[in-house]
Amino acid sequence: MSSPLPSSRAASVLDLAPVVPVVVVDDLADAVPLARALVAGGLPAIEVTLRTPVALDAIRAIAGEVPGAVVGAGTVIAPGQVGDVVAAGARFLVSPGWTDALLEAMRASGVPFLPGVSTTSEVVALLERGVREMKFFPAEAAGGTAYLKALAAPLPQARFCPTGGITPGSAPQYLALPNVGCVGGSWMLPKDAVADRDWGRVEALAREAAGLSAGGTCR
């Protein structure tokens, strides 16, 4: 079974590793070996996006067959998806955005969640609702490190997992910010490596990503 989170707070997701792999599983047969490679490389928190027909089964397989993995569900955009992914074994939830109905469903699930934001007003609205840990998406398109740096002074209580357009070169700049706990990315899962089932290459790239560290007060 997958490892438990250190606590029930979303902050524990932010602190598991500096990088959360964002995974799109097209072939269910790839789910377990791919996850094993990521965990072996030092990236235990794995976000499986709900973008393919096999996503739920992939979450179920990883949760049941990959020791050390903390598998979560990404691209959660409807309240009705929450129960399904938690039943499949998701240990955390990530959304690209949020509504009150979706937020209520994620909160009621009992597992950590990272609602997506891209504006200051959305951040303030979540803080008003008692949520301090968020996904910043799409990170590069929404203003990148400059935007997050600007948010740190007036809204220091908010912590982020920026995702969207982040590369091995830009990741350290994000992780150096005091309000960033980790980043999401898929660069450790190049399409050709997955197509060739070159899990050794995936593990090596995961190990490089795991070697990054967050700055400021986040880690």
Side-chain angles (χ1 to χ4, degrees):
M1 297 295 293
S2 58
S3 298
L5 289 168
S7 75
S8 61
R9 298 183 305 111
S12 62
V13 177
L14 298 182
D15 294 332
L16 280 172
V19 179
V20 175
V22 179
V23 180
V24 179
V25 179
D26 292 302
D27 187 338
L28 183 58
D30 293 338
V32 168
L34 183 155
R36 285 175 176 160
L38 292 173
V39 171
L43 299 180
I46 301 170
E47 177 188 335
V48 177
T49 64
L50 302 182
R51 301 180 191 175
T52 67
V54 301
L56 274 178
D57 288 332
I59 291 171
R60 189 175 293 111
I62 294 169
E65 300 180 40
V66 186
V70 180
V71 63
T75 322
V76 178
I77 58 173
Q81 294 175 312
V82 173
D84 291 338
V85 297
V86 172
R91 306 303 298 269
F92 63 93
L93 311 171
V94 184
S95 68
W98 65 278
T99 64
D100 281 321
L102 179 57
L103 188 66
E104 180 179 350
M106 292 193 294
R107 197 193 299 271
S109 72
V111 302
F113 56 92
L114 297 173
V117 297
S118 60
T119 69
T120 306
S121 293
E122 290 172 316
V123 176
V124 171
L126 283 177
L127 291 173
E128 186 178 87
R129 289 160 173 78
V131 178
R132 295 181 57 192
E133 291 83 26
M134 312 165 195
K135 172 180 180 174
F136 180 60
F137 177 84
E140 285 291 287
T145 56
Y147 196 98
L148 287 172
K149 185 176 181 180
L151 290 181
L155 302 170
Q157 62 271 53
R159 296 180 75 215
F160 301 95
C161 174
T163 306
I166 297 176
T167 67
S170 63
Q173 300 168 37
Y174 281 94
L175 291 169
L177 298 175
N179 55 352
V180 170
C182 63
V183 300
S186 57
W187 71 82
M188 71 297 300
L189 296 162
K191 290 183 178 180
D192 58 339
V194 175
D196 294 339
R197 293 180 165 84
D198 187 351
W199 308 127
R201 182 180 171 199
V202 170
E203 180 180 340
L205 290 171
R207 186 170 292 108
E208 291 178 5
L212 301 173
S213 61
T217 61
C218 290
R219 291 183 66 80

